[in-house]
Amino acid sequence: MKIAVIVVRVLLAAMYLFASVSFFLHLMPKAPEMTAAQTTFMSGVMASVYLMPLIKATELIGGILLLINRTAPLAAVIIFPVTLNIFMYHAFLGPKDLPMVSVMLLFNLFLFYAYRARYLPIVSK
């Protein structure tokens, strides 16, 4: 179980670090063609100006915290809303990448399960 937690934590961290660093350093290739619904959604996100950098900064911080074993339970909580939003985006607007995004969600849920003892003081009386 310990090795599985390490592998899942590092893989999830790598996914988020790659996505955030490539965004901030403008390393992403040209965006793939999007449907009308995807274009509308992304236009709204980009029109807000602050939202995409905030999401990517959260991904960067979450990815770094996932790599540090001591802060991994906190990182799993911080990164979960981003993971869930990515999953919902692909579930409703772009199902082509849904299998990979489902793996991300399962990784995050697995980390929740693995660190459940750390979360108990939060929810107990």
Side-chain angles (χ1 to χ4, degrees):
M1 178 76 166
K2 256 186 172 180
I3 293 174
V5 170
I6 293 169
V7 169
V8 166
R9 189 169 47 85
V10 170
L11 285 174
L12 194 60
M15 285 187 254
Y16 279 117
L17 288 173
F18 174 76
S20 60
V21 169
S22 61
F23 173 79
F24 286 122
L25 298 180
H26 305 288
L27 300 175
M28 288 294 236
K30 186 176 180 260
E33 284 194 35
M34 295 189 281
T35 65
Q38 288 173 321
T39 303
T40 302
F41 178 83
M42 290 308 291
S43 296
V45 170
M46 293 303 192
S48 68
V49 181
Y50 75 92
L51 192 56
M52 189 57 83
L54 176 66
I55 293 169
K56 293 302 179 180
T58 303
E59 288 179 5
L60 180 65
I61 292 167
I64 291 169
L65 291 176
L66 278 170
L67 289 178
I68 303 169
N69 189 33
R70 184 173 175 90
T71 59
L74 174 64
V77 171
I78 290 172
I79 208 70
F80 183 71
V82 175
T83 305
L84 186 60
N85 190 42
I86 293 169
F87 177 79
M88 298 303 275
Y89 171 84
H90 286 285
F92 290 103
L93 299 176
K96 185 184 84 162
D97 294 326
L98 194 57
M100 182 189 71
V101 175
S102 297
V103 169
M104 289 175 68
L105 182 63
L106 289 174
F107 280 1
N108 211 157
L109 292 172
F110 174 76
L111 289 178
F112 278 154
Y113 177 76
Y115 297 126
R116 68 190 177 281
R118 301 267 184 103
Y119 302 132
L120 286 178
I122 297 171
V123 295
S124 65
K125 275 188 167 179

